[in-house]
């Protein structure tokens, strides 16, 4: 056999990670209310399925966009031929407006600085190709989205060095963690080209504080490196604190037109905010025209279908629709999250306080037989195979503390979520204690429960208020 | 240390500084429009297939369910919008596999499980290069070849391309000697050759590879144990004899290690859908299929488009009649164009496929150099106001050849383009020393002159005279 490339035969595609293995198990035995009620419930897929009715009703009211027509005239031919990597101007305009709207119009974006790509997957990889050489490194706060191992490293040869975050301060980025990561990279002889953060965070579901953002700006200024802010969940911030974009911070600190300004790049997508992952709509926004130019040319390898650009330009230009969608979507996400949190609480399980995303960062440390990743894997396997829930273990997200799991809540019906929580409750109730004495466990549970119940009570009180409004 | 951008981003690997793109820039600065800009540059450098849109539109009107967003299709909206599985919609893969088979006269069957999506053929080529070669390794590519390969196969992959030099003396056929010479050259340059990339039907030649050549290439790659990538994106544009032969057919006929065989396909040329970004990698090698599938995450086809294409290509009647209609339109256009060119003494490589001709302007060169080719090209762009693509941008080893596209415009624009060419040739013929010409080919010239006079009659010069009325077509000589 003619030998294949090293990329083809190595493991950098990351598909052997437990993140993907759980999916595979789900595929073998997927839950269905009617046909397979004992199957595995998918809680490992960060999809937003809560607002499709809003999209469908828009489609019904806008038949032209649906059928390749503009003002009653067929534009099928024009669309079919349109392969300009600069993208459909109407779509780029609508997209930057949407991005600004999500940020409360506190910042505006220039359509000439946006590059369309086939999903955020492609956007992230393209930015690596633009900003780094093979063997260079980017620093990423842990825990992070498992897909980054493939998207940022596989074909680019770029390395990831973790910025270790812990539960001691709710996994926020600290100055010392940043410095430690930078030093780690230098010890390994890796040239650091930048930092990549996900804000709001996947898997934490939290949006970054202004302090953290300031810290980042200071750090990249000092080290003279790039900052990529993956903001694909920016439209899912459903409760306070309000989302603060990196652009806002730069603006507030009067850093426009400085060197730092040109080293900040944003990745966006409509997969999470609009719930359209299948349509492959991603974007790179950069303040550096050279990066924009290079990324635009590279986008040839993964352009957005003109058919899709046209549909979405019509949809996103409808400001009445976007306003309504953003508001209703937030409400539904918040409500759904509280249902998950309440269900977890009944099972004696807490999670990180969060205000965004399509998932919760769940604390199952008290269920581990020991404070190790082996124990985490053991627990995970039981949850997948016995409890029949596919959730994502923290180790797959490179979390440095065992016992955390990402659990999605927006990709299923309310009934399915209810069932999942019931299963979990039964499981926790039936856990036999092997390594710890029963009394120790009860004590530690009580300690945790007190802490988390306090938080949860506060949370659910807050949520109830919202509902009454 | 100041953060820099990567070498890839700041270098020239995107290839856009090539003359191939200069003509486009001239066109974009002053594009032809029948009423707004009748003196603008006519685009003949873009290999698009615009001849069948009415046919396709009719189908769309009768099949509203093909659009996810129509009342008839919206039931599938949610599940399709959520579908990001890199395996692709099963009905999409099945429809594409079936289409590929039909385009090859159903002489071979394609397995839907080997159909892998990519971001257009552009994405497909890059992906195949990533799968088969490491940075610094090389592919052999027969010249002349599509300029985009320099970017698609090399830019971000670090892979090299080594030309397999083909000569006009034998109509640019790929010979065993040329393959061996290229292989040796690569070896001498310390480049490990990983495969051969052929485009069949050829861009820019518009010809198909004959059976013997295909067998010879397959034999060569088997002996060297290197890969064969067959870019067959123009497969359905073969508008007349001889019939297209795909490598998928050859491997059924000769001994071949199938793990070495990969096909790149797309709907951009055959159907005229470049905007929809439907690229396909079809590999007979399981490991490559598996790797390519994972890599396809970087350029999946929009599920909205997958749905449309699946609906369209599952309709057997539509597909069968489309293939026939498309060939018919291309045949007519090609014939009209080349016939008119011959009447003013312009020849081109005999071709039976593609959306362009390989025009022979060697005799118009002041001297046999690429500088002269560039001079002539500038004249064509700036004076004749046609954007054509100079052979040097395709790495042709001989100056004087130009790729001229004919399927990306309506009949009226075609007439204008031909008029401009005739005018230019008239001026050129007059400018040449009369005695010399007469001695060489007096018969030919007077014949040409007479035909040119025919063109000057009002009924033919009228911009509104539709093709069928033209005596050129009626005359049938």
């Amino acid at each position: 056999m003619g030998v294949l490339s090293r990329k083809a035969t190595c493991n950098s595609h990351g598909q052997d990670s437990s993140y993907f293995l759980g999916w595979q198990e789900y595929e073998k035995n997927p839950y269905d209310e009617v046909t397979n009620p004992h199957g595995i419930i998918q809680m490992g897929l960060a999809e937003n399925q809560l607002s499709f009715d809003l999209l469908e009703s828009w489609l019904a009211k806008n038949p032209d966009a649906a059928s390749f027509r503009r003002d009653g005239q067929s534009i099928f031919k024009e669309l079919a031929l349109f392969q300009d990597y600069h993208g459909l101007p109407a779509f780029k305009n609508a997209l930057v407006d949407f991005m600004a709207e999500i940020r409360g119009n506190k910042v505006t974006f220039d359509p000439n600085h946006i590059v369309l790509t086939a999903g955020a997957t492609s956007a992230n990889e393209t930015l690596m190709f633009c900003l780094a050489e093979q063997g260079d490194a980017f620093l990423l706060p842990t825990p992070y989205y498992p897909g980054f191992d493939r998207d940022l490293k596989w074909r680019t040869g770029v390395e990831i060095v973790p910025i270790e975050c812990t539960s001691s301060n709710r996994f926020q980025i600290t100055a010392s963690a940043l410095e430690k990561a930078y030093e780690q990279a230098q010890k390994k002889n890796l040239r650091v080209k930048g930092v990549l953060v996900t804000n709001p965070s996947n898997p934490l579901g939290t949006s970054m504080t202004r302090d953290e953002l300031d810290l980042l700006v200071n750090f990249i200024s000092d080290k003279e490196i790039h900052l990529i802010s993956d903001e694909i969940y920016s439209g899912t911030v459903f409760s306070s604190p309000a989302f603060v974009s990196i652009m806002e911070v730069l603006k507030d600190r009067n850093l426009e037109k400085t060197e730092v300004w040109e080293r900040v790049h944003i990745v966006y997508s409509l997969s999470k905010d609009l719930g359209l992952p299948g349509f492959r709509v991603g974007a790179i926004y950069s303040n550096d025209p050279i990066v924009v130019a290079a990324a635009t040319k590279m986008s040839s390898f993964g352009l957005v279908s003109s058919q899709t650009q046209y549909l979405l330009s019509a949809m996103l230009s409808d400001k009445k629709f976007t306003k309504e969608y953003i508001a209703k979507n937030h409400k539904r996400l918040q409500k759904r999250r509280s249902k998950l949190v309440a269900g977890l609480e009944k099972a004696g399980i807490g999670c990180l306080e969060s205000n965004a995303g399509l998932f919760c960062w769940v604390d199952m440390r008290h269920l581990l037989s020991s404070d190790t990743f082996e124990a985490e894997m053991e627990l995970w396997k039981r949850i997948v195979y016995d409890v029949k829930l596919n959730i994502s273990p923290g180790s797959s997200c490179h979390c440095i503390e065992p016992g955390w799991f990402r659990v999605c809540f927006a990709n299923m019906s309310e009934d399915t979520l209810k069932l999942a929580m019931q299963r979990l409750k039964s499981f926790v109730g039936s856990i036999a204690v092997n390594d710890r004495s029963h009394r120790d466990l009860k004590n530690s549970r009580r300690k945790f429960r007190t802490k988390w119940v306090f938080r949860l009570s506060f949370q659910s009180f807050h949520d109830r208020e919202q509902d009454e409004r | 240390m100041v953060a820099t951008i990567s070498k890839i981003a700041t270098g020239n690997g995107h290839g856009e500084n090539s003359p191939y793109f200069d003509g486009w820039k001239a066109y974009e600065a002053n594009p032809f429009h029948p009423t707004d800009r009748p003196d603008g540059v006519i685009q003949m450098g873009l290999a698009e297939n615009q001849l069948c849109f009415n046919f396709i539109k009719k189908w769309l009107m009768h099949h509203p369910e093909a659009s996810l967003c129509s009342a008839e299709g919206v039931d599938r909206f949610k599940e399709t919008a959520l579908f990001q599985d890199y395996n692709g919609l099963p009905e999409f893969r099945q429809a594409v596999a079936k289409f590929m088979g039909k385009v090859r006269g159903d002489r071979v069957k394609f397995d839907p499980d080997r159909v892998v999506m990519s971001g257009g053929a552009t994405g497909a080529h890059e992906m195949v290069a990533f799968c088969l070669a490491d940075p610094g390794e090389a592919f052999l590519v027969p010249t002349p070849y599509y300029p985009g390969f320099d970017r698609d196969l090399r830019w971000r992959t670090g892979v090299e391309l080594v030309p397999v030099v083909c000569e006009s003396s034998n109509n640019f056929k790929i010979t065993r000697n040329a393959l061996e010479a290229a292989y040796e050259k690569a070896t001498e340059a310390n480049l490990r050759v990983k495969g051969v990339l052929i485009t069949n039907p050829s861009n820019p030649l518009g010809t198909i590879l004959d059976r013997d050549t295909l067998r010879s290439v397959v034999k060569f790659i088997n002996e060297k144990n290197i890969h064969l990538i067959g870019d067959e994106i123009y497969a359905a544009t073969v508008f007349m004899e001889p019939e297209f032969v795909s490598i998928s057919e050859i491997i059924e006929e000769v001994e071949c290690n199938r793990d070495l065989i990969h096909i790149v396909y797309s709907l951009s040329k055959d159907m005229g859908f470049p905007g929809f970004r439907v690229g396909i990698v079809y590999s007979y090698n399981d490991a490559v299929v598996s790797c390519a599938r994972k890599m396809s995450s970087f350029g999946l086809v929009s599920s909205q488009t997958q749905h449309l294409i699946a609906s369209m290509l599952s309709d057997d009647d539509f597909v069968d009649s489309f293939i026939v209609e498309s060939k018919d339109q291309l045949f007519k256009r090609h014939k009209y164009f080349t016939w008119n060119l011959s009447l003013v003494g312009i020849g081109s490589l005999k071709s039976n496929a593609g959306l362009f001709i390989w025009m022979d302007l060697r005799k118009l060169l002041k001297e046999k150099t690429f500088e002269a080719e560039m001079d002539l090209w500038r004249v064509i762009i700036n004076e004749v106001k046609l954007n054509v693509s100079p052979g040097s941008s395709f790495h042709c080893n001989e100056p004087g050849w130009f790729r001229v596209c004919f399927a990306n415009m309506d009949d009226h624009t075609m007439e204008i383009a031909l008029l401009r060419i005739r005018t230019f040739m008239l001026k050129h013929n007059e400018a040449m020393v009369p005695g010399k010409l007469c001695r060489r080919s007096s018969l030919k010239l007077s014949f040409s002159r007479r035909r040119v006079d025919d063109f000057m009659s009002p009924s033919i010069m009228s911009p509104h005279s539709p093709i069928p009325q033209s005596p050129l077509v009626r005359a049938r000589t």
Side-chain angles (χ1 to χ4, degrees):
Chain A
M1 182 181 95
V3 174
L4 305 185
S5 67
R6 280 192 285 270
K7 288 181 182 72
T9 45
C10 69
N11 263 344
S12 301
H13 50 70
Q15 211 135 301
D16 300 333
S17 142
S18 47
Y19 181 73
F20 295 103
L21 290 176
W23 285 23
Q24 281 169 32
E25 286 311 309
Y26 163 77
E27 301 282 326
K28 287 183 206 160
N29 182 20
Y31 167 80
D32 181 279
E33 203 181 350
V34 176
T35 60
N36 192 16
H38 300 293
I40 298 178
I41 296 176
Q42 174 66 290
M43 303 190 89
L45 188 51
E47 273 176 0
N48 181 358
Q49 291 195 24
L50 305 184
S51 302
F52 269 101
D53 57 316
L54 301 175
L55 298 172
E56 284 157 5
S57 101
W58 185 89
L59 289 173
K61 294 192 204 121
N62 292 273
D64 262 13
S67 49
F68 298 107
R69 273 200 298 269
R70 180 167 51 207
D71 303 327
Q73 296 282 41
S74 169
I75 53 165
F76 178 78
K77 176 177 163 177
E78 289 77 0
L79 283 177
L81 291 171
F82 186 83
Q83 58 174 329
D84 182 354
Y85 58 27
H86 291 105
L88 210 60
F91 178 51
K92 290 204 299 182
N93 289 334
L95 186 60
V96 299
D97 283 350
F98 186 65
M99 287 170 71
E101 194 178 348
I102 285 174
R103 289 156 183 73
N105 287 310
K106 290 186 226 127
V107 281
T108 54
F109 295 92
D110 178 353
N112 293 319
H113 280 256
I114 205 158
V115 179
L116 301 174
T117 62
T121 301
S122 177
N124 280 310
E125 189 195 45
T126 298
L127 270 177
M128 289 299 106
F129 275 123
C130 286
L131 304 179
E133 311 295 346
Q134 266 199 48
D136 286 343
F138 263 78
L139 309 180
L140 265 67
T142 62
Y144 64 74
Y145 163 58
F148 281 150
D149 290 323
R150 171 198 61 194
D151 302 349
L152 304 177
K153 303 195 313 181
W154 189 15
R155 306 190 308 179
T156 62
V158 170
E159 299 286 346
I160 294 177
V161 174
I163 301 165
E164 290 172 349
C165 302
T166 68
S167 59
S168 62
N169 70 340
R170 296 169 62 238
F171 297 95
Q172 286 184 56
I173 300 173
T174 63
S176 62
L178 281 165
E179 286 295 341
K180 187 169 166 224
Y182 193 85
E183 276 158 36
Q184 260 294 96
Q186 301 210 296
K187 271 198 207 121
K188 291 182 174 172
N189 264 322
L190 297 169
R191 185 172 66 161
V192 176
K193 290 314 284 288
V195 179
L196 186 150
V197 297
T198 308
N199 178 28
S201 162
N202 174 11
L204 302 175
T206 53
S207 58
M208 286 178 99
T209 62
R210 209 172 261 275
D211 285 343
E212 279 175 285
L213 291 165
D214 276 329
L215 203 59
L216 281 170
V217 172
N218 296 340
F219 183 75
I220 64 153
S221 298
D222 179 47
K223 303 282 192 258
E224 291 178 319
I225 58 180
H226 296 276
L227 175 62
I228 300 173
S229 182
D230 180 333
E231 301 190 348
I232 69 174
Y233 290 97
S234 49
T236 68
V237 178
F238 48 75
S239 67
S240 62
F243 178 62
V244 181
S245 163
I246 186 70
M247 289 301 186
E248 208 186 312
V249 168
L250 291 170
K251 202 172 147 206
D252 291 347
R253 287 171 61 164
N254 287 319
L255 290 170
E256 280 149 308
K257 310 304 174 215
T258 61
E259 252 180 48
V260 173
W261 176 255
E262 294 205 335
R263 288 204 302 272
V264 174
H265 324 277
I266 291 180
V267 166
Y268 191 54
S269 160
L270 296 180
S271 301
K272 311 298 178 182
D273 287 354
L274 274 191
L276 306 172
F279 288 1
R280 313 316 300 145
V281 183
I284 293 170
Y285 188 90
S286 176
N287 290 320
D288 183 345
I290 299 179
V291 173
V292 173
T296 300
K297 294 179 179 75
M298 286 189 192
S299 67
S300 298
F301 300 111
L303 296 173
V304 178
S305 170
S306 57
Q307 178 190 20
T308 301
Q309 289 190 52
Y310 179 64
L311 170 70
L312 294 172
S313 72
M315 196 183 274
L316 297 183
S317 309
D318 185 344
K319 303 289 199 254
K320 191 155 164 272
F321 167 76
T322 56
K323 191 164 174 211
E324 185 195 343
Y325 182 90
I326 290 174
K328 283 199 173 146
N329 188 37
H330 283 174
K331 252 188 148 160
R332 294 174 186 189
L333 286 171
Q334 182 176 41
K335 195 161 169 221
R336 184 57 77 84
R337 180 195 175 272
S338 16
K339 292 227 150 51
L340 172 66
V341 170
L344 290 170
E345 187 190 309
K346 288 201 187 90
I349 298 173
C351 58
L352 188 71
E353 250 180 81
S354 61
N355 64 328
L358 310 172
F359 33 74
C360 281
W361 190 233
V362 176
D363 184 0
M364 297 202 205
R365 287 177 292 176
H366 59 296
L367 299 176
L368 295 184
S369 57
S370 61
D371 188 21
T372 62
F373 286 109
E374 285 74 30
E376 180 185 281
M377 274 295 110
E378 215 180 278
L379 176 59
W380 176 68
K381 282 189 187 126
R382 289 185 72 181
I383 295 179
V384 172
Y385 295 109
D386 300 342
V387 190
K388 304 251 181 54
L389 303 177
N390 178 36
I391 62 177
S392 311
S395 50
S396 68
C397 302
H398 302 277
C399 186
I400 59 168
E401 284 175 31
W404 293 89
F405 291 79
R406 190 192 78 169
V407 181
C408 300
F409 56 71
N411 65 309
M412 66 201 67
S413 72
E414 218 176 289
D415 286 339
T416 308
L417 179 61
K418 225 175 178 173
L419 174 62
M421 292 299 100
Q422 278 164 13
R423 287 186 186 178
L424 196 55
K425 183 158 179 254
S426 313
F427 168 69
V428 171
S430 73
I431 277 185
V433 178
N434 288 323
D435 299 340
R436 287 187 193 171
S437 73
H438 191 67
R439 198 167 42 118
D440 280 355
L441 186 65
K442 252 171 115 175
N443 283 338
S444 61
R445 266 188 187 159
R446 202 181 298 132
K447 202 166 63 186
F448 276 115
R449 198 182 297 142
T450 316
K451 197 158 125 191
W452 288 115
V453 163
F454 172 79
R455 280 230 173 100
L456 292 168
S457 307
F458 179 77
Q459 187 83 25
S460 32
F461 171 73
H462 200 68
D463 291 342
R464 264 200 296 276
E465 253 191 36
Q466 300 270 48
D467 283 345
E468 274 154 15
R469 251 182 256 133
Chain B
M1 181 199 72
V2 177
T4 48
I5 321 261
S6 70
K7 289 193 208 101
I8 289 178
T10 48
N12 268 339
H14 50 70
E16 269 176 45
N17 299 332
S18 130
Y20 182 67
F21 294 98
D22 281 352
W24 285 32
K25 292 175 194 157
Y27 163 77
E28 262 151 44
N30 183 21
F32 169 81
H33 185 275
T35 49
D36 300 346
R37 246 185 323 264
D39 294 323
V41 176
I42 295 179
Q43 175 64 285
M44 302 191 89
L46 190 49
E48 274 177 355
N49 184 354
Q50 291 195 23
L51 305 183
C52 284
F53 278 112
N54 287 334
F55 191 81
I56 294 171
K57 276 194 253 193
K58 272 198 201 104
W59 184 91
L60 283 172
M61 276 183 358
H62 290 121
H63 294 268
E65 75 283 2
S67 163
L68 269 186
C69 316
S70 64
E72 293 82 347
V74 81
D75 281 345
R76 304 284 308 273
F77 181 79
K78 178 175 165 180
E79 71 186 85
T80 310
L82 288 170
F83 189 85
Q84 58 174 334
D85 180 351
Y86 61 29
N87 288 293
L89 286 171
E91 57 267 31
F92 170 76
R93 279 187 285 115
Q94 280 151 22
V96 167
K98 193 156 70 148
F99 184 70
M100 287 172 72
K102 279 183 183 282
V103 166
R104 289 153 185 74
D106 283 321
R107 293 182 296 275
V108 275
K109 254 185 100 96
F110 289 89
D111 178 359
D113 289 338
R114 292 191 177 282
V115 171
V116 180
M117 296 181 286
S118 61
T122 301
H125 277 295
E126 191 194 44
M127 191 157 81
V128 170
F130 271 125
C131 285
L132 303 182
D134 289 321
E137 295 181 337
F139 287 114
L140 308 183
V141 194
T143 65
Y145 64 78
Y146 165 57
F149 283 158
D150 290 326
R151 171 198 61 196
D152 301 349
L153 292 153
R154 298 185 322 166
W155 190 20
R156 307 191 305 182
T157 61
V159 169
E160 300 284 350
L161 294 183
V162 175
V164 175
V165 182
C166 301
E167 315 264 359
S168 61
S169 53
N170 69 342
N171 293 321
F172 300 95
K173 263 200 175 141
I174 304 169
T175 63
R176 175 72 189 221
N177 284 343
L179 284 165
E180 290 286 2
Y183 191 90
E184 247 180 72
K185 195 155 173 235
T187 313
E188 271 159 34
N190 266 320
L191 294 170
R192 183 168 163 210
V193 177
K194 290 311 281 291
V196 175
L197 165 65
I198 56 173
T199 307
N200 176 31
S202 163
N203 174 12
L205 303 176
T207 53
I208 57 167
L209 267 56
D210 60 80
R211 211 171 215 99
D212 285 339
T213 303
L214 281 166
R215 285 180 178 193
S216 159
V217 173
V218 169
K219 195 156 174 263
F220 176 75
I221 58 121
N222 268 279
E223 279 169 23
K224 300 277 194 262
N225 195 29
I226 58 180
H227 295 277
L228 176 59
I229 306 164
D231 178 334
E232 299 191 347
I233 69 174
Y234 290 97
T237 69
V238 179
F239 51 76
M240 72 186 200
E241 301 279 286
E243 197 175 54
F244 176 59
V245 182
S246 161
I247 29 170
S248 54
E249 295 172 63
I250 298 294
I251 61 176
E252 302 291 338
E253 297 168 11
V254 303
E255 273 287 316
C256 178
N257 176 0
R258 287 178 177 225
D259 278 343
L260 299 174
I261 308 294
H262 324 277
I263 293 178
V264 165
Y265 189 56
S266 157
L267 297 182
S268 301
K269 311 296 178 184
D270 284 355
M271 296 215 70
F273 294 163
F276 295 164
R277 314 315 299 149
V278 183
I280 302 289
V281 170
Y282 188 95
S283 176
Y284 289 88
N285 181 323
D286 292 345
V288 171
V289 170
S290 171
C291 177
R293 271 226 203 290
K294 297 179 180 74
M295 282 191 185
S296 68
S297 298
F298 298 110
L300 295 173
V301 177
S302 166
S303 55
Q304 179 192 16
T305 301
Q306 289 186 51
H307 175 86
L308 171 71
I309 299 300
S311 306
M312 206 180 269
L313 300 186
S314 315
D315 183 339
D316 288 337
D317 291 335
F318 168 75
V319 169
D320 292 338
S321 31
F322 172 82
I323 291 175
V324 167
E325 171 76 11
S326 177
K327 280 187 212 247
D328 196 42
Q329 294 290 339
L330 287 168
F331 171 79
K332 285 198 184 103
R333 182 56 76 82
H334 173 269
K335 188 163 180 205
Y336 186 67
F337 188 47
T338 52
W339 169 246
N340 274 276
L341 291 175
S342 70
L343 294 174
V344 288
I346 295 180
S348 56
L349 187 70
K350 187 150 175 259
S351 62
N352 67 326
L355 309 172
F356 33 72
I357 56 165
W358 192 232
M359 191 186 272
D360 182 359
L361 298 180
R362 287 175 295 176
K363 62 180 193 260
L364 295 184
L365 295 183
K366 291 198 199 84
E367 46 185 36
K368 274 198 196 149
T369 62
F370 286 109
E371 287 74 30
E373 179 182 281
M374 281 293 113
D375 286 341
L376 176 58
W377 179 63
R378 276 183 213 106
V379 167
I380 297 174
I381 297 213
N382 298 318
E383 290 178 26
V384 192
K385 300 261 181 55
L386 302 176
N387 178 34
V388 300
S389 312
S392 50
S393 63
F394 294 87
H395 303 280
C396 187
N397 75 326
E398 188 185 6
W401 295 90
F402 291 80
R403 189 192 76 171
V404 183
C405 300
F406 59 72
N408 64 312
M409 63 193 67
D410 57 24
D411 294 339
H412 170 73
T413 310
M414 170 57 64
E415 292 292 347
I416 306 281
L418 282 170
L419 175 60
R420 291 182 183 181
I421 293 172
R422 281 178 216 133
T423 312
F424 171 71
M425 287 307 287
L426 261 179
K427 268 201 284 197
H428 176 268
N429 289 342
E430 277 166 8
M432 286 180 73
V433 177
K436 208 168 165 189
L437 264 160
C438 280
R439 266 202 301 280
R440 266 216 217 125
S441 51
S442 53
L443 199 64
K444 199 167 157 198
L445 185 63
S446 57
F447 171 82
S448 304
R449 275 234 175 100
R450 200 175 63 226
R451 279 287 180 265
V452 165
D453 289 342
D454 282 347
F455 295 157
M456 304 300 267
S457 75
S459 63
I460 296 157
M461 294 301 279
S462 158
H464 299 294
S465 63
I467 293 181
Q469 304 294 330
S470 165
L472 298 166
V473 173
R474 273 189 275 133
R476 294 198 149 271
T477 44

